[in-house]
Amino acid sequence: MSRVVWVLNGPNLGRLGSREPDVYGTASYDDLVAACKSAGERLGLAVDVRQTDDEATYVHWLHEAADGGVDALVLNPAAWTHTSVAVRDAAAALAAPYVEVHLSNPLSREEFRHVSYTASHATGVIAGFGLDSYRLALHALADRLATGSS
Ligand code: DQA
């Protein structure tokens, strides 16, 4: 049976393509979903890709994932990365491994982006590769799940 991986995207990521293309590129959110789905198919993962601008919804998705049935997660908490203790606490309670991803490299941008509240419990962080950040994260998680390491 396929392993289940959730890809959870935070605020403003639904506007990819039109949003600051100089920073985030011209790929749309639909392109992001398609890239994750096709990587999932190649890797034998059942990938569910979601996006919300509502912090409570994001936290509830993390609670759902913590309750079971999700083998691994890819999190792009977007702006909440740098602001949200609530998202950080919900991510910290996950038993499943997660990789934090960013399209851009926050460390090469404004100073307020240099802090990640949400990476503290991540297995790893992949940033700066556009949609490839997600593909790389799914590859890394597929390897981890196959070898049983967390
Ligand atoms: C982002 C980086 C964050 O700093 C920013 O707030 C985002 C997107 C990224 O994917 O590069 O919304 O998470």
Side-chain angles (χ1 to χ4, degrees), residues 30-55:
D30 287 347
D31 294 333
L32 185 158
V33 174
C36 291
K37 291 268 181 204
S38 74
E41 273 163 32
R42 278 198 307 279
L43 295 163
L45 304 172
V47 174
D48 184 346
V49 190
R50 304 178 183 189
Q51 190 274 328
T52 182
D53 296 323
D54 176 41
E55 188 172 355

Side-chain angles (χ1 to χ4, degrees), residues 11-13 19 24 76-79 81-82 101-106 109 113:
N12 302 307
L13 291 170
R19 175 195 183 199
Y24 298 111
N76 186 348
T81 305
H82 319 298
V101 299
H102 299 284
L103 295 149
S104 66
N105 176 5
R109 300 179 61 196
R113 297 183 203 276

Side-chain angles (χ1 to χ4, degrees), residues 77 79-89 91-92 98 100 102 112-122:
W80 296 324
T81 305
H82 319 298
T83 61
S84 178
V85 176
V87 172
R88 179 246 172 246
D89 286 352
Y98 73 91
E100 178 168 312
H102 299 284
F112 67 85
R113 297 183 203 276
H114 296 185
V115 170
S116 170
Y117 286 98
T118 47
S120 53
H121 287 72

